[in-house]
Amino acid sequence: MTGADEQHEDKKLEELTFAGETLERCRFKRCSFLGSRLIECETHHCEFQDCDFTGVKLGSSHHLSSSFLNCNFTNSDLYGAMFENCRMVGSSFAGANLSSIVVKGGDWSYTQMRMQDLDEVDFSDVKLVGADLYSASLKKATLYGALLKDANLSHAKLNGADLRGADLTGVQLRDVDLKGARMNLEQALLFAISHGIIIE
């Protein structure tokens, strides 16, 4: 596998060592990267569709305007990875290490991030429509202007999080821990109503 304009489909690209390298404008469809080491690699304008990244080492990698659509990141290590204007729609991160990830814009709609540690992650203006954040820890996370429509935040911990300007349409707030969270007045009213408070 070289670095630019490659196209791969239905291939096993497993146990690769591609640390510190750059991929540009490459496309991968239904490919398996099982067990590969992609530490500090970069992807620029690449597309990964229905790919398997189970157990892949992606620590400190940098992804610019790349797409990871319906990809499987089960038990992968993404510590300190940066995603800048990326599309992650439908991808699953079960058991993955997302500590200290950096997210700059992009679309993370319908991602599966249940019970993930996302403390202090900045999701400002990120699309998280329908994202599954069940029981996730988002303490002191920044969700300023994020689109959280129909996201599952049940039992999530948002202590000290910044939710100002976030679209919470369809979000059930009854079981969300919001102690110390920052909200605008409209959001605070929505939270109060979800707890059965009558506002007159």
Side-chain angles (χ1 to χ4, degrees):
M1 184 173 64
T2 57
D5 298 304
E6 290 283 317
Q7 295 193 36
H8 300 275
E9 188 170 334
D10 296 310
K11 289 186 178 180
K12 288 189 175 181
L13 303 169
E14 300 175 351
E15 303 296 336
L16 286 176
T17 298
F18 206 66
E21 303 294 334
T22 300
L23 295 173
E24 296 186 24
R25 301 178 304 279
C26 295
R27 299 184 66 185
F28 301 86
K29 188 173 183 179
R30 294 186 302 275
C31 292
S32 174
F33 294 88
L34 187 69
S36 293
R37 291 178 56 84
L38 307 178
I39 297 170
E40 296 182 349
C41 78
E42 296 189 15
T43 67
H44 299 172
H45 304 278
C46 293
E47 182 176 320
F48 301 84
Q49 182 177 346
D50 298 308
C51 291
D52 189 357
F53 290 92
T54 297
V56 172
K57 306 294 185 183
L58 281 157
S60 299
S61 56
H62 183 192
H63 308 279
L64 175 64
S65 298
S66 291
S67 297
F68 295 85
L69 308 176
N70 298 314
C71 291
N72 180 13
F73 289 92
T74 297
N75 297 328
S76 61
D77 186 357
L78 292 138
Y79 179 85
M82 178 183 289
F83 296 90
E84 189 172 352
N85 296 319
C86 291
R87 297 180 66 226
M88 312 298 292
V89 179
S91 289
S92 175
F93 296 90
N97 180 8
L98 298 178
S99 298
S100 300
I101 63 168
V102 178
V103 181
K104 296 185 177 180
D107 191 347
W108 290 62
S109 296
Y110 304 104
T111 49
Q112 300 288 325
M113 294 186 283
R114 297 168 68 89
M115 297 180 282
Q116 278 294 339
D117 180 359
L118 298 165
D119 292 346
E120 300 185 15
V121 174
D122 188 346
F123 284 109
S124 296
D125 300 314
V126 173
K127 291 182 179 179
L128 288 158
V129 175
D132 189 352
L133 292 159
Y134 174 87
S135 202
S137 183
L138 289 149
K139 296 176 182 178
K140 296 184 179 180
T142 302
L143 293 153
Y144 186 92
L147 184 56
L148 285 156
K149 182 179 179 182
D150 297 324
N152 180 9
L153 287 171
S154 182
H155 299 290
K157 300 175 181 65
L158 283 94
N159 310 71
D162 187 352
L163 288 160
R164 293 175 298 166
D167 185 345
L168 299 172
T169 304
V171 176
Q172 298 298 319
L173 298 173
R174 185 181 300 275
D175 299 318
V176 182
D177 189 345
L178 288 164
K179 185 177 180 179
R182 303 176 71 184
M183 294 181 170
N184 58 31
L185 180 58
E186 182 180 352
Q187 293 168 323
L189 290 172
L190 180 64
F191 176 69
I193 292 170
S194 72
H195 282 74
I197 297 173
I198 298 173
I199 300 170
E200 297 180 341

